[in-house]
Amino acid sequence: MTTSIDFTDELGRRLAAAKHVVASTGAGASAESGVPTFRDLEGYWSRYSPEELATQAALVRNPILVQSWYAERANRLKSIVPNPCHNSLVEMEEIFPRFDLITQNVDNLHQEAGSTNVVELHGNVRRFYCSECGSDRKNAMPDEIETAVCCEACGGLIRPDVVWFGEILPQENIRYACEAARACDVFLSIGTSSVVYPAAGLAEIAGSSGAFCVEVNIEGSAAAAIMDELCIGPAGRILPALAKLAKTVRRANTKS
Ligand code: BJW
Ligand code: ZN
């Protein structure tokens, strides 16, 4: 196993030959845009309890608190922009015959950067729907919530379109992600602590199916031991270098 931003020759060879690359991103991919992560020192779960904010029971118990937290996050995202990690992943779509971008992030920044085929595993904090009848909420959530926001059709509580603990992931998306992990030649795990399943299992699937697994993170994650290469550093610095390497080795490939 190698630890560096000086990528190994083996990674260069794998990228040169890859027909199918999967990038799987977590909160660290958006950290340099100013979006808090969950489990870092300054992350959401160091300040708030997931049980009080990120469950259906919490919504029913204290709708104003839960709705305000998500509305505030959604509204704050309006002034946040993608960073070089997101932008490099857009470039990578062009480099490989097949490139899948799978994300646990709910911030929509990959789509804003211009990635065209983003598979969302944990939903999107900018969308809201009725927890009773399922209908989409058309209007943006207000900045200040003084009374619980309810569905115009049935009166049910409005919730964010995100996946809370104990909830099933969008089935088609997780199935697609598992198949992509099983079939890819190179798997990039970027900015995730790799503790939340089933998303964390994708790297295991990719590794056991023969893919070359690379982690990009400011520190080794829970999945570090199964990686073939660790790139320790901020994703906004590593991904541009990785995209550059990919372009270089593939250009050399087409010439020879
Ligand atoms: C940088 C950086 C920089 C920082 N550059 N890097 C199998 C085994 C064990 C448990 C389970 C299992 N299967 C299911 C479970 C239960 C549970 C689970 O996994 N629990 C574990 C925590 C123990 N999973 C679920 O409940 C899931 N549902 C499910 O499986 O349904 C079926 C089922 C139900 C019941 C029982 C069994 C099966 C649903 C999970 C939903 C997760 N939801 C959240 C909240 C979304 C809403 C919201 O945003 O509020 O999703 S939790 C939170 O964690 C969020 C994230 O998407 C997710 C992952 O976090 P992520 O992205 O990895 O962020 P961090 O903060 O953890 O890490 C950031 C990383 O970035 C760090 O490593 C930093 O070092 C790094 N970093 N700056 C590069 N600049
Ligand atoms: Zn409703």
Side-chain angles (χ1 to χ4, degrees), residues 231-246:
C231 303
I232 300 293
R237 190 163 66 87
I238 307 254
L239 261 295
L242 198 55
K244 191 172 165 202
L245 170 69

Side-chain angles (χ1 to χ4, degrees), residues 199-251:
L202 295 174
E204 296 160 22
I205 293 173
S208 60
S209 308
F212 190 75
C213 293
V214 181
E215 176 165 286
V216 178
N217 202 307
I218 49 170
E219 62 184 27
S221 79
I226 64 161
M227 295 292 158
D228 297 295
E229 181 147 341
L230 295 180
C231 303
I232 300 293
R237 190 163 66 87
I238 307 254
L239 261 295
L242 198 55
K244 191 172 165 202
L245 170 69
K247 275 186 208 157
T248 308
V249 295
R250 292 190 79 85
R251 210 175 296 129

Side-chain angles (χ1 to χ4, degrees), residues 130-135 150-158:
C130 172
S131 59
E132 291 291 331
C133 74
S135 61
C150 294
C151 174
E152 285 169 11
C154 79
L157 286 168
I158 296 295

Side-chain angles (χ1 to χ4, degrees), residues 147-236:
T147 53
V149 182
C150 294
C151 174
E152 285 169 11
C154 79
L157 286 168
I158 296 295
R159 60 163 287 173
D161 187 2
V162 298
V163 181
W164 284 329
F165 281 115
E167 294 183 339
I168 303 293
L169 278 69
Q171 286 302 283
E172 203 176 306
N173 294 6
I174 187 64
R175 202 176 306 119
Y176 183 95
C178 290
E179 280 168 15
R182 200 166 292 121
C184 70
D185 305 305
V186 175
F187 183 91
L188 308 173
S189 178
I190 303 164
T192 175
S193 56
S194 295
V195 295
V196 175
Y197 283 81
L202 295 174
E204 296 160 22
I205 293 173
S208 60
S209 308
F212 190 75
C213 293
V214 181
E215 176 165 286
V216 178
N217 202 307
I218 49 170
E219 62 184 27
S221 79
I226 64 161
M227 295 292 158
D228 297 295
E229 181 147 341
L230 295 180
C231 303
I232 300 293

